[in-house]
Amino acid sequence: MAFTLPIPSPRSPSGGEDVARWYEDELGWATAEKGAGGPVELLTGLRFDALELPAAAGFTVLRRLGGQWPVALAGPRMRLLVAAGTADELPGLLDWLDWGGIALDLVALGAGDRMTAPVPPGWSGSGSPDAVSWLRPPEPGREVEPTLPALSAVAAGTGAAPCLVRLVDAAASECHRVRLLGAYRAQRLASS
């Protein structure tokens, strides 16, 4: 009796290696794989940082501020790409805006952090409701850095990039609103 090895299934066109190659070749973004066969991750802190907040707050922020910088959606969370270095500036900026010391569900991913890479634009996704996808994808062949919200936009006043101060203030306000609404709903359920 001969022992045969099964033939491996063909790779899907959106396999991890292909996704990583797309991000590296088309956008020039550094990637890493999360373990063997895990999802591709984008390294933050190099070309961009990300502000992560509840999607309910994020959608309101986008309606308020407009803009066309890249935004990813990961289940109930939204990630707004911002200029590299923002993660270091966030605590001081929140203090300056009088949001310091208030529990906000607002997190910055910066140097040394990673975020799961959304499926590249035009590629088929995994179909999972928690799959990471682009709400506003980056454009291949176009530098993303000049479009990202940055503190330098305040000083330059050029309008090329959204103002990080306005974005952080709107994000903090909406995160706080979402938190208060959640507490109010929980209290109403408990009293019914």
Side-chain angles (χ1 to χ4, degrees), residues 20-109:
R21 190 175 311 119
W22 185 86
Y23 279 102
E24 291 166 359
D25 295 347
E26 297 294 325
L27 300 175
W29 292 359
T31 64
E33 258 194 62
K34 186 177 184 176
V40 173
E41 295 180 319
L42 302 175
L43 305 181
T44 56
L46 302 173
R47 304 275 309 266
F48 59 87
D49 285 357
L51 291 181
E52 185 178 285
L53 66 164
F59 281 114
T60 304
V61 168
L62 295 178
R63 276 194 301 278
R64 284 175 57 183
L65 299 181
Q68 292 304 311
W69 70 93
V71 176
L73 195 57
R77 307 287 295 168
M78 184 178 285
R79 294 183 185 125
L80 310 170
L81 270 55
V82 292
T86 296
D88 294 334
E89 300 292 338
L90 185 63
L93 193 51
L94 288 170
D95 283 342
W96 184 72
L97 292 167
D98 291 332
W99 286 106
I102 298 173
L104 301 171
D105 193 5
L106 178 63
V107 179
L109 303 173

Side-chain angles (χ1 to χ4, degrees):
M1 178 174 185
F3 180 79
T4 58
L5 294 174
I7 298 173
S9 302
R11 262 200 257 199
S12 71
S14 60
E17 188 176 301
D18 294 334
V19 170
R21 190 175 311 119
W22 185 86
Y23 279 102
E24 291 166 359
D25 295 347
E26 297 294 325
L27 300 175
W29 292 359
T31 64
E33 258 194 62
K34 186 177 184 176
V40 173
E41 295 180 319
L42 302 175
L43 305 181
T44 56
L46 302 173
R47 304 275 309 266
F48 59 87
D49 285 357
L51 291 181
E52 185 178 285
L53 66 164
F59 281 114
T60 304
V61 168
L62 295 178
R63 276 194 301 278
R64 284 175 57 183
L65 299 181
Q68 292 304 311
W69 70 93
V71 176
L73 195 57
R77 307 287 295 168
M78 184 178 285
R79 294 183 185 125
L80 310 170
L81 270 55
V82 292
T86 296
D88 294 334
E89 300 292 338
L90 185 63
L93 193 51
L94 288 170
D95 283 342
W96 184 72
L97 292 167
D98 291 332
W99 286 106
I102 298 173
L104 301 171
D105 193 5
L106 178 63
V107 179
L109 303 173
D113 294 323
R114 298 173 177 198
M115 65 178 257
T116 302
V119 175
W123 293 32
S124 61
S126 70
S128 164
D130 290 334
V132 181
S133 61
W134 285 112
L135 187 59
R136 291 182 182 168
E139 294 179 29
R142 182 171 174 230
E143 286 293 313
V144 74
E145 288 87 349
T147 68
L148 298 177
L151 280 176
S152 60
V154 175
T158 61
C163 174
L164 182 64
V165 174
R166 285 186 61 217
L167 173 62
V168 169
D169 193 38
S173 176
E174 292 306 319
C175 284
H176 190 60
R177 182 187 63 78
V178 165
R179 184 172 163 258
L180 290 176
L181 284 173
Y184 173 73
R185 288 183 184 129
Q187 183 182 22
R188 289 202 50 187
L189 282 174
S191 64
S192 342

